[in-house]
Amino acid sequence: MKRLLALSLAAIMTLGLLTACGNQVAEQTNETGKETNETGEEAEGTEAESAGEISQVLEDGKLTVGTNAEFPPFEFVDDNGEPDGFDVALIKAIGEKLGVEVEIENMEFDALVASIGNKIDVAIAGMTITDERKENADFSDPYYDALQYVILPEGSEIATFDDLAGKTIGVQLGTTGDFIASDDVDGAEVKQYNKGVDAVNDLINGRLDCVIIDKNPALVFAAKFEGQLTAVDGEQFDFGVENYAIAMPKGDTALAAQINGALKELKEDGTFDELVKKYIEEN
Ligand code: ARG
C-alpha cells in the first residue's frame, strides 16, 4: 500500500513539475546532461526506481542531509555562509537523480549518526565506515578512499607511529583520527575539538605536538600555514585505508538501493569525476 502511495505521489510530483516547466523540458537534456525523452523524464530511472522501490524517507520529496561543514574540501561553509564542498555537491546530484530536494543541516560531526532518523534522513560528512557506526546506521557503497595524516610543526621529530606515544595529540571529536589517538597510541594526551581547524590553531600556538586528521583536510589546513606546518602521509605511520560512505537509517533497503543506484549513475555519466576534479584535485 505504502509503496503504491509513494509511487503515485511521485507521479503527481513529476506531473506537477512538467506542467510547471511546460514544453521547454522536451528540448533539453537535464542538468546532469542525461538525455530526456519527450515528457522530460529520464529515459531510464535508477535501478531502484524501475524496481518501484521508493523509500518512505523520500515520500515528502525532500532529503534532509546532515553534515559537518568543517572538513574541506569535502564540506565547508562558503563565502555566503552556505555549506559547499565535494560531499554537498555529491548529495545534491544524488537528490537530483532521485527527484527530491536536498536540504543540508550543518551540525557537529559527533552528533550525525545519532541524528539519522530524527533530525536528518542521511549523513554525508567524509564519514568513514566503521563497525561501531554500523551498529547504528547502514552505509551506502563507499565513494572515496581516505587515510589519516599527521600534521606536524616544521622541524618536529615525530616520524613513526611509535614516536606518537606520550605526545599531546589534537583530533576532531568522534572521528577516526580520535579513535587512533585515544585507543591505539600509548600514553597520548588526546585533545578533542569540535572543529579540526581549532586543533590546527592550537598546533600553531604550541599547545599540541601534532594533529591527526584525514588526508585532504590535513593538506588544506597545512597549506594555510605553509612553512610552519607539514602534513605527513599516514602510510608512514602505518595507518590503514578508510572508506567514506553515506550513512543511512538502518534497514531501509529501498533508500539504500536508490542512493546506491544514483551514485552508480553519477559515476557512469562522469558527474562524479567532474566533482572530484572540481573540489579535490584542483584545490
Ligand atoms: N573520516 C573521519 C571519520 O569518519 C573524519 C570525518 C570528519 N568529517 C567532518 N565532516 N568533519 O571519523
Side-chain angles (χ1 to χ4, degrees), residues 68 71 75 109 125-128 133 172 174-176 214 242 244:
N68 170 252
F71 199 69
E75 40 267 338
F109 182 78
M127 190 182 286
T128 304
R133 288 174 184 154
Q172 186 181 21
T175 61
T176 43
D214 302 48
E242 302 182 10
Y244 292 167

Side-chain angles (χ1 to χ4, degrees), residues 67-72 74-75 87 107-110 112 124-130 133 146 148 172-179 194-196 213-214 217 242-244:
T67 196
N68 170 252
E70 299 292 344
F71 199 69
F74 290 94
E75 40 267 338
D87 284 343
M107 49 203 288
E108 277 175 13
F109 182 78
D110 199 35
L112 285 169
I124 189 164
M127 190 182 286
T128 304
I129 303 174
T130 69
R133 288 174 184 154
Q148 296 303 302
Q172 186 181 21
L173 177 68
T175 61
T176 43
D178 184 5
F179 305 150
N194 281 321
K195 303 177 181 187
I213 196 163
D214 302 48
E242 302 182 10
N243 293 298
Y244 292 167

Side-chain angles (χ1 to χ4, degrees), residues 66-140:
T67 196
N68 170 252
E70 299 292 344
F71 199 69
F74 290 94
E75 40 267 338
F76 52 86
V77 175
D78 72 12
D79 295 341
N80 303 316
E82 297 297 327
D84 193 7
F86 177 83
D87 284 343
V88 175
L90 179 62
I91 199 70
K92 283 184 178 164
I94 289 174
E96 208 169 291
K97 287 275 184 208
L98 299 178
V100 295
E101 185 195 323
V102 168
E103 195 177 289
I104 305 284
E105 286 286 334
N106 191 8
M107 49 203 288
E108 277 175 13
F109 182 78
D110 199 35
L112 285 169
V113 170
S115 301
I116 294 173
N118 45 81
K119 279 196 212 89
I120 55 175
D121 297 325
V122 301
I124 189 164
M127 190 182 286
T128 304
I129 303 174
T130 69
D131 288 341
E132 209 184 15
R133 288 174 184 154
K134 277 208 278 199
E135 285 172 17
N136 298 303
D138 285 347
F139 282 95
S140 70

Side-chain angles (χ1 to χ4, degrees), residues 134-154:
K134 277 208 278 199
E135 285 172 17
N136 298 303
D138 285 347
F139 282 95
S140 70
D141 291 337
Y143 64 84
Y144 204 82
D145 286 349
L147 185 69
Q148 296 303 302
Y149 264 39
V150 182
I151 310 182
L152 295 170
E154 213 59 60

